[in-house]
Amino acid sequence: MTRPPTAAQRRVIDAADPVTGRLRGTEAQLAALVKRGLAFRHPRPPHDHFLTPEGHRVRQGVTGTPEPAGEAPASTGVFAARVGGEETAPETGRPVRLREVHSAWQGLLELRRMTNPDGAVDRPCGWERTHLAEAAALALEAAGHRPAGPGPGASGYRVRTTPQPEAVAVHEPDGEALRACAATLEGAGWQVSDHREPRTGNRYLLASPRRA
């Protein structure tokens, strides 16, 4: 399990700009957050640092509102979208998880706005192109699709990397649910095509971040 941020790192995250996620801290502090996937360095001058979607989710937990009675507190560990098929994973549909996913998705939209040259939020940004499976899975989970549980026959989506550059495969045994996944990814700025596995004939999607 990924270690939660240190107290010093949480203070830097907590002090981030609430809208843009811009960070202030020492070079060592910011580099540590980048290494943990909680921040990124903007490629254009003045090369400020901003929270990633995971960083926004952690900030939500750090500053967050009290949990309802009887609800387990949100984890302050690094957020991970459900790619499907994990042996151990947070339960989808619980209020805490729903809030985490919503916060991570809003953080990703803000990341698009801040890093796409034209400020567009309707197509993926550079972070998503280097985290293909996580980005596609976040789009699906944020839209309410159900990830697969453990085991090869479990229903639900599974997002997997492929040898093809900038493309992930999305598997879902239910045809209607697979079409719904395609619609969600297209709406989130991905190019999607339908394919069949040569050996089994099972349908799957290939999804790539749209560039324009």
Side-chain angles (χ1 to χ4, degrees):
M1 180 175 292
T2 307
R3 291 180 296 105
T6 65
Q9 290 170 342
R10 285 201 299 268
R11 285 194 292 272
V12 174
I13 293 170
D14 191 32
D17 185 283
V19 176
T20 66
R22 183 181 282 109
L23 293 162
R24 292 289 182 266
T26 67
E27 285 299 320
Q29 289 172 327
L30 297 174
L33 291 175
V34 170
K35 185 176 181 181
R36 299 191 61 165
L38 299 174
F40 74 98
R41 184 173 183 265
H42 200 288
R44 297 195 297 273
H47 301 298
D48 285 336
H49 288 72
F50 297 85
L51 292 174
T52 63
E54 290 93 339
H56 277 281
R57 209 284 310 161
V58 171
R59 186 181 188 279
Q60 181 92 352
V62 171
T63 62
T65 42
E67 301 293 338
E71 188 72 63
S75 166
T76 55
V78 177
F79 172 84
R82 291 285 311 274
V83 296
E86 300 93 339
E87 289 297 326
T88 58
E91 184 180 349
T92 58
R94 289 173 58 84
V96 168
R97 180 64 181 177
L98 292 174
R99 286 194 293 274
E100 289 179 341
V101 172
H102 175 75
S103 178
W105 178 247
Q106 293 303 312
L108 181 56
L109 294 180
E110 182 61 24
L111 195 60
R112 289 180 176 188
R113 189 183 72 81
M114 293 299 300
T115 60
N116 280 334
D118 57 356
V121 298
D122 60 350
R123 68 174 185 272
C125 60
W127 181 89
E128 292 169 89
R129 299 178 193 282
T130 59
H131 298 76
L132 292 171
E134 297 91 334
L138 177 56
L140 292 173
E141 191 175 358
H145 297 278
R146 185 165 60 88
S155 61
Y157 71 77
R158 296 170 187 264
V159 181
R160 297 294 182 264
T161 57
T162 71
Q164 184 172 330
E166 284 206 356
V168 292
V170 180
H171 302 268
E172 163 61 78
D174 182 271
E176 185 175 348
L178 185 66
R179 287 191 292 272
C181 286
T184 290
L185 289 171
E186 288 172 348
W190 293 67
Q191 293 178 324
V192 181
S193 55
D194 189 282
H195 301 267
R196 287 189 182 273
E197 295 177 347
R199 185 171 58 85
T200 66
N202 293 334
R203 291 177 58 205
Y204 69 97
L205 306 174
L206 273 182
S208 301
R210 183 167 56 83
R211 290 192 174 275

